[in-house]
Amino acid sequence: MVSSSYSLNMHNILLPTCILILFALIKTSSGQLSANFYASSCPNFSSIISSAVNSAVSNEARMGASLLRLHFHDCFVNGCDASVLLDDTANFTGEKTAGPNNNSLRGFDVIDTIKTQLESSCPGVVSCADLLATAARDSVVALGGPSWNLNFGRRDSTTASLSAANNNIPAPTLNLSGLISSFSNQGFTTNEMVALSGSHTIGQARCTVFRNRLYNENNINSSFATSVRANCPSSGGDNNLSPLDAATPTSFDNAYFNNLLNQNGLLHSDQELFNGGSTDAQVRTYSSNPATFSTDFANGMIKMSNLNPLTGSSGQVRTNCRRTN
């Protein structure tokens, strides 16, 4: 029979050992992204990306929203792995022709330009996934929004998922429960969903995705509906564009939430955030507290940029973001 004192001593030895092993596993799984990942291998990567993003946004303010959206549509499909950038080939189907992306996502040429500059400076070093995460942040900053700290070391996928792109990216026709569920599937709380929806303070949408709201919904400001209908007829003009935030369309601010209070949400999913439901109070808070929105949005973006990244020996660092090596 083993003495109780021996058992106690063994327990005291084993417990710290188990804790150390657990910490080691946690560090292995989450510690491969770091702020200093490119400190020696490509110290200028951040300035290269920010300079190119500033130039692109200066040429066309809408590009800021497009680059932010690219990152979002990437991360919501099997994690932030740059799968959204892969072109279709004779033997490979990517995500670009998925319903939420086809004839809608843009900014690929800007990503190509930045990647070429990075390859010239640091060949084979900076991943397309890290490029997307950084370009999204720099785009928000370029339009007057908040910045946030990023960790790096994401690697690029060699695969893509058309079905996941069709199923995971929240549609502009979703009601509040659908939005909550879509974001919850990615690990986001309802509050984080509302904060991230504030990205619609910049960018534009095609008539085809909000026409039904203009002509068939009642929770819309009549003057607003009339003004938008001028560029979105009941039939035709599917690709005509309207700003998601008509008040300050090229400034990253909290005007989006003020629009919702006035029933000036362009998309059905936008107005669902302020339609007598559980998120009304948060919309009111953001409409009157821009600093709170900025903080919550930045924190939400940090969380999104860390969705299931490939690290270590997984994936690859593509030399061309459109195709695998």
Side-chain angles (χ1 to χ4, degrees):
M1 182 175 179
V2 179
S3 69
S4 59
S5 62
Y6 177 80
S7 298
L8 182 61
N9 289 337
M10 285 303 293
H11 176 76
N12 288 341
I13 293 170
L14 289 173
L15 184 59
T17 302
C18 291
I19 292 173
L20 288 174
I21 292 173
L22 178 61
F23 280 144
L25 289 173
I26 291 173
K27 185 175 182 180
T28 300
S29 63
S30 64
Q32 296 192 37
L33 295 183
S34 72
N36 301 319
F37 191 83
Y38 296 117
S40 59
S41 60
C42 194
N44 295 325
F45 91 99
S46 183
S47 61
I48 290 172
I49 296 175
S50 63
S51 178
V53 167
N54 287 337
S55 177
V57 174
S58 177
N59 288 334
E60 182 199 12
R62 182 188 173 202
M63 187 54 67
S66 298
L67 294 175
L68 175 60
R69 189 163 178 253
L70 269 181
H71 180 46
F72 172 71
H73 282 222
D74 178 41
C75 295
F76 260 56
V77 181
N78 300 331
C80 305
D81 59 5
S83 59
V84 73
L85 301 178
L86 290 169
D87 283 342
D88 290 358
T89 69
N91 304 310
F92 175 84
T93 301
E95 298 164 11
K96 291 183 177 179
T97 56
N101 299 337
N102 195 33
N103 297 319
S104 178
L105 281 187
R106 58 198 299 273
F108 298 109
D109 53 338
V110 175
I111 297 300
D112 291 341
T113 297
I114 299 173
K115 181 60 172 172
T116 298
Q117 294 173 1
L118 289 170
E119 287 299 306
S120 176
S121 179
C122 318
V125 173
V126 181
S127 69
C128 301
D130 279 345
L131 194 172
L132 277 180
T134 309
R137 179 195 61 189
D138 293 349
S139 292
V140 170
V141 173
L143 292 174
S147 185
W148 54 91
N149 294 323
L150 286 170
N151 288 333
F152 306 100
R154 300 167 191 79
R155 289 170 64 84
D156 303 325
S157 67
T158 57
T159 60
S161 178
L162 182 69
S163 61
N166 278 318
N167 294 323
N168 294 4
I169 298 169
T173 54
L174 288 180
N175 58 21
L176 181 58
S177 63
L179 288 169
I180 292 171
S181 176
S182 180
F183 277 78
S184 177
N185 289 340
Q186 303 295 331
F188 291 104
T189 66
T190 299
N191 284 356
E192 289 168 336
M193 179 272 291
V194 176
L196 289 173
S197 295
S199 62
H200 284 183
T201 189
I202 54 174
Q204 301 181 50
R206 293 179 299 153
C207 171
T208 185
V209 302
F210 58 81
R211 176 184 285 119
N212 185 67
R213 170 158 166 74
L214 289 183
Y215 292 93
N216 296 306
E217 295 186 8
N218 296 319
N219 62 340
I220 186 169
N221 182 287
S222 58
S223 297
F224 173 71
T226 298
S227 67
V228 180
R229 284 173 186 163
N231 197 42
C232 184
S234 57
S235 63
D238 284 1
N239 292 320
N240 291 354
L241 298 170
S242 290
L244 290 161
D245 167 17
T248 55
T250 60
S251 295
F252 196 98
D253 54 26
N254 69 328
Y256 166 79
F257 298 101
N258 293 318
N259 295 338
L260 300 185
L261 295 185
N262 295 316
Q263 293 190 318
N264 289 346
L266 184 68
L267 306 181
H268 175 83
S269 56
D270 288 332
Q271 197 59 56
E272 279 292 290
L273 300 182
F274 190 80
N275 194 34
S278 61
T279 55
D280 283 13
Q282 191 176 353
V283 170
R284 286 194 182 94
T285 295
Y286 288 160
S287 72
S288 59
N289 295 278
T292 301
F293 164 57
S294 291
T295 297
D296 289 356
F297 179 82
N299 288 333
M301 288 300 298
I302 291 172
K303 184 171 179 176
M304 191 178 77
S305 71
N306 291 328
L307 289 179
N308 302 314
L310 297 173
T311 59
S313 60
S314 300
Q316 61 183 212
V317 175
R318 291 187 222 135
T319 57
N320 183 325
C321 292
R322 292 177 179 266
R323 59 176 182 264
T324 59
N325 294 341

